[in-house]
């Protein structure tokens, strides 16, 4: 009991007006939007940041992240404590079935001359999603001799470290078939390490989805997965990210959002493809053309 009392006393109070100022900085920086019910969450998680800088209160902290020349470092630290990083292997099975059985099959045909496949897992958290994609491609077979590139990106440095190591605990495997666990992982001290043969096709980078200049360096993608990321964004940021995805996709390329997400009220630029297993957004082919560049 004493410990709880101590923790509550320890938290620095955050007034409504300073809460709004801080949440707007975060929203403009990375799209994450905290509504009024999240004030306590910010109060609790950012108190530690205030103490680590030996500041007195949230108003000082606001000035710090607004005006200090090291503010971008602090914003990165804020993101590490505020993002929701929940993820696991083989998440959202129906959509993955559509990807594996229908989209990949289609791409074997459409990309057969160039024999390349470029896939972006945008907001990949600790890497379960891009590694799942790599395993699915391997399971599909018939991509021998292809240049497969899967790129995972996230704004949270902490989860990217886990992604690069590729070592996972039980929680990440809640929907993984045992035979896939045996086939693609080795056991190490009670954890599971992804095989190098899967890892070699996956690379990771630190990337803010609201930064169109850096995302442009990724080049064109055949498929973009951005699942369970935009639900945390405000609508203006969602639009910006989706416009950016449109530019990054090849004509005819696919955009896979989380099952609770859609482009309603965000964009009309994509068409909705009805596959057997799921519905998926597609960037339209240019009229009169069937060539992908
Ligand atoms: C809930 S996880 C989703 C992980 C995975 N896509 C999945 O569906 O299992 C959301 C991830 O989006 C990342 N994220 C949030 N805002 C971002 C931004 N502006 N740029 C890049 N990544 C962001 C978070 O750090 C977090 O790791």
């Amino acid at each position: 009991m004493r410990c709880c009392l101590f923790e509550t006393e320890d938290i620095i109070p955050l007034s409504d007006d300073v809460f709004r100022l801080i949440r707007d900085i975060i929203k403009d920086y990375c799209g994450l939007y905290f509504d009024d019910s999240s004030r306590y969450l910010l109060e609790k998680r950012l108190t530690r940041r205030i103490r680590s800088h030996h500041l007195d209160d949230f108003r000082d902290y606001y000035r710090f992240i607004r005006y200090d020349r090291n503010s971008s470092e602090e914003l990165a630290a804020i993101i590490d404590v505020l993002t929701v990083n929940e993820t696991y292997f083989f998440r959202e099975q129906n959509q993955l079935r559509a990807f594996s059985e229908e989209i990949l099959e289609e791409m074997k045909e459409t990309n057969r001359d160039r024999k390349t496949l470029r896939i972006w897992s945008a907001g990949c958290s600790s890497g379960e999603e891009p590694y799942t994609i790599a395993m699915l491609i391997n399971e599909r077979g018939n991509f021998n001799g292809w240049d497969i590139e899967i790129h995972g990106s996230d704004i949270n440095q902490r989860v990217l470290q886990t992604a690069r190591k590729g070592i996972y605990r039980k929680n990440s495997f809640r929907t993984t078939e045992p035979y896939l666990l045996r086939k693609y992982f080795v056991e190490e001290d009670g954890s599971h390490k992804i095989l190098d043969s899967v890892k070699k096709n996956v690379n990771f980078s630190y990337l803010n989805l609201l930064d169109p200049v850096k995302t442009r360096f990724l080049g064109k993608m055949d498929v973009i997965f951005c699942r369970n990321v935009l639900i945390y964004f405000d609508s203006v940021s969602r639009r910006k990210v989706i416009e950016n995805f449109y530019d990054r996709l090849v004509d005819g390329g696919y955009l896979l959002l989380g099952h609770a997400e859609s482009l309603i009220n965000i964009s009309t630029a994509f068409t909705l493809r009805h596959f057997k297993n799921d519905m998926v957004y597609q960037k339209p082919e240019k009229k009169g053309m069937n060539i992908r560049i």
Side-chain angles (χ1 to χ4, degrees), residues 30 84-87 91 123 129 154 207-209 227-228:
C30 68
V84 177
N85 308 114
E86 161 77 359
T87 186
R91 185 177 193 177
E129 183 174 273
D154 205 279
L207 198 72
N208 181 354
L209 291 176
R227 309 189 304 166
N228 309 299

Side-chain angles (χ1 to χ4, degrees), residues 263-280:
L263 294 185
I264 293 170
N265 296 330
I266 298 178
S267 171
T268 52
F270 291 81
T271 48
L272 197 56
R273 274 287 296 273
H274 292 249
F275 285 116
K276 221 168 44 226
N277 294 290
D278 204 357
M279 290 184 292
V280 173

Side-chain angles (χ1 to χ4, degrees), residues 217-235:
F217 284 117
L218 291 178
K220 289 283 188 184
M221 295 288 162
D222 295 297
V223 184
I224 298 175
F225 284 74
C226 185
R227 309 189 304 166
N228 309 299
V229 178
L230 299 180
I231 31 167
Y232 302 105
F233 282 29
D234 72 297
S235 55

